[in-house]
PDB file of all heavy atoms in Angstrom:
ATOM      1  N   PHE X 311     -76.405 -15.138  46.149  1.00 97.00           N
ATOM      2  CA  PHE X 311     -75.504 -15.532  47.252  1.00 97.00           C
ATOM      3  C   PHE X 311     -74.098 -15.022  46.969  1.00 97.00           C
ATOM      4  O   PHE X 311     -73.554 -15.207  45.876  1.00 97.00           O
ATOM      5  CB  PHE X 311     -75.482 -17.059  47.400  1.00 97.00           C
ATOM      6  CG  PHE X 311     -74.656 -17.524  48.579  1.00 97.00           C
ATOM      7  CD1 PHE X 311     -75.230 -17.653  49.830  1.00 97.00           C
ATOM      8  CD2 PHE X 311     -73.300 -17.793  48.439  1.00 97.00           C
ATOM      9  CE1 PHE X 311     -74.469 -18.062  50.923  1.00 97.00           C
ATOM     10  CE2 PHE X 311     -72.533 -18.209  49.519  1.00 97.00           C
ATOM     11  CZ  PHE X 311     -73.122 -18.339  50.762  1.00 97.00           C
ATOM     12  N   LYS X 312     -73.501 -14.370  47.974  1.00 97.00           N
ATOM     13  CA  LYS X 312     -72.143 -13.837  47.793  1.00 97.00           C
ATOM     14  C   LYS X 312     -71.148 -14.660  48.603  1.00 97.00           C
ATOM     15  O   LYS X 312     -71.294 -14.803  49.815  1.00 97.00           O
ATOM     16  CB  LYS X 312     -72.089 -12.371  48.224  1.00 97.00           C
ATOM     17  CG  LYS X 312     -72.822 -11.466  47.258  1.00 97.00           C
ATOM     18  CD  LYS X 312     -72.383 -10.026  47.353  1.00 97.00           C
ATOM     19  CE  LYS X 312     -73.026  -9.182  46.261  1.00 97.00           C
ATOM     20  NZ  LYS X 312     -74.464  -9.463  46.031  1.00 97.00           N
ATOM     21  N   PHE X 313     -70.146 -15.190  47.930  1.00 98.00           N
ATOM     22  CA  PHE X 313     -69.084 -15.942  48.602  1.00 98.00           C
ATOM     23  C   PHE X 313     -68.064 -14.961  49.160  1.00 98.00           C
ATOM     24  O   PHE X 313     -67.830 -13.888  48.580  1.00 98.00           O
ATOM     25  CB  PHE X 313     -68.394 -16.884  47.602  1.00 98.00           C
ATOM     26  CG  PHE X 313     -69.258 -18.047  47.199  1.00 98.00           C
ATOM     27  CD1 PHE X 313     -70.087 -17.962  46.085  1.00 98.00           C
ATOM     28  CD2 PHE X 313     -69.251 -19.220  47.937  1.00 98.00           C
ATOM     29  CE1 PHE X 313     -70.889 -19.034  45.708  1.00 98.00           C
ATOM     30  CE2 PHE X 313     -70.058 -20.296  47.572  1.00 98.00           C
ATOM     31  CZ  PHE X 313     -70.873 -20.207  46.451  1.00 98.00           C
ATOM     32  N   THR X 314     -67.445 -15.333  50.273  1.00 98.00           N
ATOM     33  CA  THR X 314     -66.359 -14.525  50.841  1.00 98.00           C
ATOM     34  C   THR X 314     -65.180 -14.544  49.855  1.00 98.00           C
ATOM     35  O   THR X 314     -64.793 -15.624  49.397  1.00 98.00           O
ATOM     36  CB  THR X 314     -65.901 -15.140  52.181  1.00 98.00           C
ATOM     37  OG1 THR X 314     -67.053 -15.347  52.998  1.00 98.00           O
ATOM     38  CG2 THR X 314     -64.903 -14.234  52.888  1.00 98.00           C
ATOM     39  N   PRO X 315     -64.595 -13.382  49.524  1.00 97.00           N
ATOM     40  CA  PRO X 315     -63.432 -13.397  48.631  1.00 97.00           C
ATOM     41  C   PRO X 315     -62.333 -14.278  49.222  1.00 97.00           C
ATOM     42  O   PRO X 315     -62.102 -14.274  50.446  1.00 97.00           O
ATOM     43  CB  PRO X 315     -63.007 -11.926  48.580  1.00 97.00           C
ATOM     44  CG  PRO X 315     -64.226 -11.158  48.974  1.00 97.00           C
ATOM     45  CD  PRO X 315     -64.990 -12.026  49.932  1.00 97.00           C
ATOM     46  N   ILE X 316     -61.648 -15.033  48.361  1.00 98.00           N
ATOM     47  CA  ILE X 316     -60.725 -16.061  48.856  1.00 98.00           C
ATOM     48  C   ILE X 316     -59.571 -15.467  49.669  1.00 98.00           C
ATOM     49  O   ILE X 316     -59.167 -16.038  50.686  1.00 98.00           O
ATOM     50  CB  ILE X 316     -60.226 -16.990  47.708  1.00 98.00           C
ATOM     51  CG1 ILE X 316     -59.368 -18.114  48.303  1.00 98.00           C
ATOM     52  CG2 ILE X 316     -59.523 -16.238  46.615  1.00 98.00           C
ATOM     53  CD1 ILE X 316     -59.103 -19.268  47.364  1.00 98.00           C
ATOM     54  N   GLN X 317     -59.057 -14.313  49.267  1.00 98.00           N
ATOM     55  CA  GLN X 317     -57.944 -13.754  50.054  1.00 98.00           C
ATOM     56  C   GLN X 317     -58.422 -13.411  51.475  1.00 98.00           C
ATOM     57  O   GLN X 317     -57.727 -13.659  52.462  1.00 98.00           O
ATOM     58  CB  GLN X 317     -57.342 -12.518  49.371  1.00 98.00           C
ATOM     59  CG  GLN X 317     -56.153 -11.917  50.129  1.00 98.00           C
ATOM     60  CD  GLN X 317     -54.888 -12.787  50.101  1.00 98.00           C
ATOM     61  OE1 GLN X 317     -54.326 -13.042  49.047  1.00 98.00           O
ATOM     62  NE2 GLN X 317     -54.421 -13.249  51.279  1.00 98.00           N
ATOM     63  N   GLN X 318     -59.655 -12.861  51.572  1.00 98.00           N
ATOM     64  CA  GLN X 318     -60.194 -12.545  52.916  1.00 98.00           C
ATOM     65  C   GLN X 318     -60.368 -13.817  53.753  1.00 98.00           C
ATOM     66  O   GLN X 318     -60.032 -13.857  54.947  1.00 98.00           O
ATOM     67  CB  GLN X 318     -61.548 -11.829  52.757  1.00 98.00           C
ATOM     68  CG  GLN X 318     -62.182 -11.435  54.098  1.00 98.00           C
ATOM     69  CD  GLN X 318     -63.623 -10.954  53.943  1.00 98.00           C
ATOM     70  OE1 GLN X 318     -63.989 -10.390  52.909  1.00 98.00           O
ATOM     71  NE2 GLN X 318     -64.429 -11.166  54.970  1.00 98.00           N
ATOM     72  N   ALA X 319     -60.874 -14.862  53.106  1.00 98.00           N
ATOM     73  CA  ALA X 319     -61.099 -16.121  53.833  1.00 98.00           C
ATOM     74  C   ALA X 319     -59.760 -16.733  54.276  1.00 98.00           C
ATOM     75  O   ALA X 319     -59.647 -17.260  55.387  1.00 98.00           O
ATOM     76  CB  ALA X 319     -61.871 -17.095  52.939  1.00 98.00           C
ATOM     77  N   ILE X 320     -58.748 -16.626  53.420  1.00 98.00           N
ATOM     78  CA  ILE X 320     -57.424 -17.147  53.804  1.00 98.00           C
ATOM     79  C   ILE X 320     -56.836 -16.290  54.926  1.00 98.00           C
ATOM     80  O   ILE X 320     -56.269 -16.819  55.893  1.00 98.00           O
ATOM     81  CB  ILE X 320     -56.488 -17.221  52.567  1.00 98.00           C
ATOM     82  CG1 ILE X 320     -56.930 -18.389  51.671  1.00 98.00           C
ATOM     83  CG2 ILE X 320     -55.025 -17.376  52.986  1.00 98.00           C
ATOM     84  CD1 ILE X 320     -56.126 -18.589  50.402  1.00 98.00           C
ATOM     85  N   ASP X 321     -56.991 -14.968  54.833  1.00 98.00           N
ATOM     86  CA  ASP X 321     -56.496 -14.085  55.906  1.00 98.00           C
ATOM     87  C   ASP X 321     -57.118 -14.492  57.248  1.00 98.00           C
ATOM     88  O   ASP X 321     -56.428 -14.600  58.266  1.00 98.00           O
ATOM     89  CB  ASP X 321     -56.872 -12.620  55.625  1.00 98.00           C
ATOM     90  CG  ASP X 321     -56.083 -12.023  54.462  1.00 98.00           C
ATOM     91  OD1 ASP X 321     -55.099 -12.649  54.009  1.00 98.00           O
ATOM     92  OD2 ASP X 321     -56.466 -10.932  53.985  1.00 98.00           O
ATOM     93  N   GLU X 322     -58.428 -14.716  57.251  1.00 98.00           N
ATOM     94  CA  GLU X 322     -59.122 -15.063  58.505  1.00 98.00           C
ATOM     95  C   GLU X 322     -58.651 -16.418  59.033  1.00 98.00           C
ATOM     96  O   GLU X 322     -58.494 -16.613  60.236  1.00 98.00           O
ATOM     97  CB  GLU X 322     -60.645 -15.083  58.283  1.00 98.00           C
ATOM     98  CG  GLU X 322     -61.222 -13.690  58.064  1.00 98.00           C
ATOM     99  CD  GLU X 322     -62.738 -13.690  57.850  1.00 98.00           C
ATOM    100  OE1 GLU X 322     -63.391 -14.708  58.166  1.00 98.00           O
ATOM    101  OE2 GLU X 322     -63.252 -12.673  57.386  1.00 98.00           O
ATOM    102  N   THR X 323     -58.427 -17.355  58.118  1.00 98.00           N
ATOM    103  CA  THR X 323     -58.011 -18.703  58.533  1.00 98.00           C
ATOM    104  C   THR X 323     -56.585 -18.674  59.086  1.00 98.00           C
ATOM    105  O   THR X 323     -56.289 -19.310  60.114  1.00 98.00           O
ATOM    106  CB  THR X 323     -58.121 -19.689  57.341  1.00 98.00           C
ATOM    107  OG1 THR X 323     -59.438 -19.581  56.798  1.00 98.00           O
ATOM    108  CG2 THR X 323     -57.870 -21.117  57.770  1.00 98.00           C
ATOM    109  N   VAL X 324     -55.712 -17.912  58.427  1.00 98.00           N
ATOM    110  CA  VAL X 324     -54.335 -17.782  58.917  1.00 98.00           C
ATOM    111  C   VAL X 324     -54.341 -17.124  60.297  1.00 98.00           C
ATOM    112  O   VAL X 324     -53.649 -17.571  61.223  1.00 98.00           O
ATOM    113  CB  VAL X 324     -53.480 -16.966  57.905  1.00 98.00           C
ATOM    114  CG1 VAL X 324     -52.179 -16.494  58.538  1.00 98.00           C
ATOM    115  CG2 VAL X 324     -53.203 -17.803  56.660  1.00 98.00           C
ATOM    116  N   GLN X 325     -55.149 -16.090  60.434  1.00 98.00           N
ATOM    117  CA  GLN X 325     -55.227 -15.407  61.738  1.00 98.00           C
ATOM    118  C   GLN X 325     -55.717 -16.380  62.819  1.00 98.00           C
ATOM    119  O   GLN X 325     -55.171 -16.443  63.918  1.00 98.00           O
ATOM    120  CB  GLN X 325     -56.163 -14.207  61.637  1.00 98.00           C
ATOM    121  CG  GLN X 325     -56.160 -13.354  62.896  1.00 98.00           C
ATOM    122  CD  GLN X 325     -57.179 -12.210  62.828  1.00 98.00           C
ATOM    123  OE1 GLN X 325     -57.639 -11.830  61.756  1.00 98.00           O
ATOM    124  NE2 GLN X 325     -57.532 -11.681  63.985  1.00 98.00           N
ATOM    125  N   TRP X 326     -56.738 -17.169  62.481  1.00 98.00           N
ATOM    126  CA  TRP X 326     -57.265 -18.142  63.449  1.00 98.00           C
ATOM    127  C   TRP X 326     -56.180 -19.152  63.821  1.00 98.00           C
ATOM    128  O   TRP X 326     -55.994 -19.470  65.001  1.00 98.00           O
ATOM    129  CB  TRP X 326     -58.488 -18.871  62.857  1.00 98.00           C
ATOM    130  CG  TRP X 326     -59.102 -19.822  63.844  1.00 98.00           C
ATOM    131  CD1 TRP X 326     -60.098 -19.533  64.735  1.00 98.00           C
ATOM    132  CD2 TRP X 326     -58.717 -21.186  64.087  1.00 98.00           C
ATOM    133  NE1 TRP X 326     -60.362 -20.643  65.514  1.00 98.00           N
ATOM    134  CE2 TRP X 326     -59.532 -21.666  65.136  1.00 98.00           C
ATOM    135  CE3 TRP X 326     -57.776 -22.041  63.526  1.00 98.00           C
ATOM    136  CZ2 TRP X 326     -59.431 -22.963  65.638  1.00 98.00           C
ATOM    137  CZ3 TRP X 326     -57.670 -23.341  64.022  1.00 98.00           C
ATOM    138  CH2 TRP X 326     -58.492 -23.789  65.063  1.00 98.00           C
ATOM    139  N   PHE X 327     -55.448 -19.633  62.817  1.00 98.00           N
ATOM    140  CA  PHE X 327     -54.419 -20.643  63.084  1.00 98.00           C
ATOM    141  C   PHE X 327     -53.328 -20.072  63.994  1.00 98.00           C
ATOM    142  O   PHE X 327     -52.906 -20.722  64.957  1.00 98.00           O
ATOM    143  CB  PHE X 327     -53.811 -21.134  61.756  1.00 98.00           C
ATOM    144  CG  PHE X 327     -52.720 -22.158  61.947  1.00 98.00           C
ATOM    145  CD1 PHE X 327     -53.021 -23.433  62.391  1.00 98.00           C
ATOM    146  CD2 PHE X 327     -51.395 -21.838  61.691  1.00 98.00           C
ATOM    147  CE1 PHE X 327     -52.015 -24.393  62.575  1.00 98.00           C
ATOM    148  CE2 PHE X 327     -50.386 -22.779  61.870  1.00 98.00           C
ATOM    149  CZ  PHE X 327     -50.698 -24.055  62.323  1.00 98.00           C
ATOM    150  N   CYS X 328     -52.891 -18.853  63.699  1.00 97.00           N
ATOM    151  CA  CYS X 328     -51.819 -18.252  64.518  1.00 97.00           C
ATOM    152  C   CYS X 328     -52.311 -18.016  65.951  1.00 97.00           C
ATOM    153  O   CYS X 328     -51.582 -18.282  66.910  1.00 97.00           O
ATOM    154  CB  CYS X 328     -51.332 -16.937  63.893  1.00 97.00           C
ATOM    155  SG  CYS X 328     -50.533 -17.208  62.298  1.00 97.00           S
ATOM    156  N   GLU X 329     -53.548 -17.570  66.085  1.00 97.00           N
ATOM    157  CA  GLU X 329     -54.088 -17.300  67.428  1.00 97.00           C
ATOM    158  C   GLU X 329     -54.362 -18.579  68.219  1.00 97.00           C
ATOM    159  O   GLU X 329     -54.435 -18.559  69.435  1.00 97.00           O
ATOM    160  CB  GLU X 329     -55.389 -16.483  67.325  1.00 97.00           C
ATOM    161  CG  GLU X 329     -55.135 -15.029  66.943  1.00 97.00           C
ATOM    162  CD  GLU X 329     -56.414 -14.245  66.656  1.00 97.00           C
ATOM    163  OE1 GLU X 329     -57.523 -14.818  66.752  1.00 97.00           O
ATOM    164  OE2 GLU X 329     -56.293 -13.056  66.316  1.00 97.00           O
ATOM    165  N   ASN X 330     -54.574 -19.679  67.492  1.00 97.00           N
ATOM    166  CA  ASN X 330     -54.948 -20.937  68.174  1.00 97.00           C
ATOM    167  C   ASN X 330     -53.905 -22.021  67.946  1.00 97.00           C
ATOM    168  O   ASN X 330     -54.221 -23.211  67.991  1.00 97.00           O
ATOM    169  CB  ASN X 330     -56.313 -21.417  67.663  1.00 97.00           C
ATOM    170  CG  ASN X 330     -57.422 -20.468  68.040  1.00 97.00           C
ATOM    171  OD1 ASN X 330     -57.949 -20.523  69.139  1.00 97.00           O
ATOM    172  ND2 ASN X 330     -57.752 -19.567  67.135  1.00 97.00           N
ATOM    173  N   TYR X 331     -52.659 -21.601  67.722  1.00 96.00           N
ATOM    174  CA  TYR X 331     -51.618 -22.557  67.324  1.00 96.00           C
ATOM    175  C   TYR X 331     -51.515 -23.734  68.308  1.00 96.00           C
ATOM    176  O   TYR X 331     -51.402 -24.886  67.902  1.00 96.00           O
ATOM    177  CB  TYR X 331     -50.263 -21.845  67.189  1.00 96.00           C
ATOM    178  CG  TYR X 331     -49.198 -22.808  66.715  1.00 96.00           C
ATOM    179  CD1 TYR X 331     -49.122 -23.176  65.384  1.00 96.00           C
ATOM    180  CD2 TYR X 331     -48.301 -23.382  67.611  1.00 96.00           C
ATOM    181  CE1 TYR X 331     -48.189 -24.095  64.935  1.00 96.00           C
ATOM    182  CE2 TYR X 331     -47.356 -24.315  67.174  1.00 96.00           C
ATOM    183  CZ  TYR X 331     -47.312 -24.656  65.837  1.00 96.00           C
ATOM    184  OH  TYR X 331     -46.398 -25.581  65.396  1.00 96.00           O
ATOM    185  N   ASP X 332     -51.556 -23.435  69.612  1.00 95.00           N
ATOM    186  CA  ASP X 332     -51.317 -24.497  70.600  1.00 95.00           C
ATOM    187  C   ASP X 332     -52.400 -25.578  70.571  1.00 95.00           C
ATOM    188  O   ASP X 332     -52.121 -26.744  70.826  1.00 95.00           O
ATOM    189  CB  ASP X 332     -51.232 -23.904  72.014  1.00 95.00           C
ATOM    190  CG  ASP X 332     -49.955 -23.077  72.142  1.00 95.00           C
ATOM    191  OD1 ASP X 332     -49.020 -23.326  71.343  1.00 95.00           O
ATOM    192  OD2 ASP X 332     -49.922 -22.180  73.004  1.00 95.00           O
ATOM    193  N   THR X 333     -53.636 -25.171  70.287  1.00 96.00           N
ATOM    194  CA  THR X 333     -54.734 -26.140  70.371  1.00 96.00           C
ATOM    195  C   THR X 333     -55.241 -26.603  69.003  1.00 96.00           C
ATOM    196  O   THR X 333     -56.052 -27.538  68.943  1.00 96.00           O
ATOM    197  CB  THR X 333     -55.925 -25.534  71.148  1.00 96.00           C
ATOM    198  OG1 THR X 333     -56.223 -24.275  70.557  1.00 96.00           O
ATOM    199  CG2 THR X 333     -55.608 -25.361  72.618  1.00 96.00           C
ATOM    200  N   ALA X 334     -54.788 -25.973  67.929  1.00 96.00           N
ATOM    201  CA  ALA X 334     -55.296 -26.342  66.588  1.00 96.00           C
ATOM    202  C   ALA X 334     -54.965 -27.796  66.291  1.00 96.00           C
ATOM    203  O   ALA X 334     -53.940 -28.315  66.751  1.00 96.00           O
ATOM    204  CB  ALA X 334     -54.678 -25.440  65.522  1.00 96.00           C
ATOM    205  N   ARG X 335     -55.834 -28.452  65.509  1.00 96.00           N
ATOM    206  CA  ARG X 335     -55.605 -29.844  65.094  1.00 96.00           C
ATOM    207  C   ARG X 335     -54.421 -29.864  64.147  1.00 96.00           C
ATOM    208  O   ARG X 335     -54.453 -29.278  63.082  1.00 96.00           O
ATOM    209  CB  ARG X 335     -56.830 -30.323  64.319  1.00 96.00           C
ATOM    210  CG  ARG X 335     -57.580 -31.423  64.981  1.00 96.00           C
ATOM    211  CD  ARG X 335     -58.588 -32.065  64.073  1.00 96.00           C
ATOM    212  NE  ARG X 335     -59.440 -31.178  63.315  1.00 96.00           N
ATOM    213  CZ  ARG X 335     -60.138 -31.587  62.239  1.00 96.00           C
ATOM    214  NH1 ARG X 335     -60.048 -32.823  61.816  1.00 96.00           N
ATOM    215  NH2 ARG X 335     -60.910 -30.750  61.600  1.00 96.00           N
TER     216      ARG X 335
END
Side-chain angles (χ1 to χ4, degrees):
F311 184 88
K312 289 201 173 43
F313 289 91
T314 309
I316 185 166
Q317 182 70 63
Q318 181 190 330
I320 287 179
D321 289 348
E322 290 180 16
T323 308
V324 165
Q325 187 184 341
W326 183 91
F327 179 70
C328 295
E329 287 172 0
N330 294 277
Y331 183 78
D332 291 338
T333 52
R335 245 192 313 163

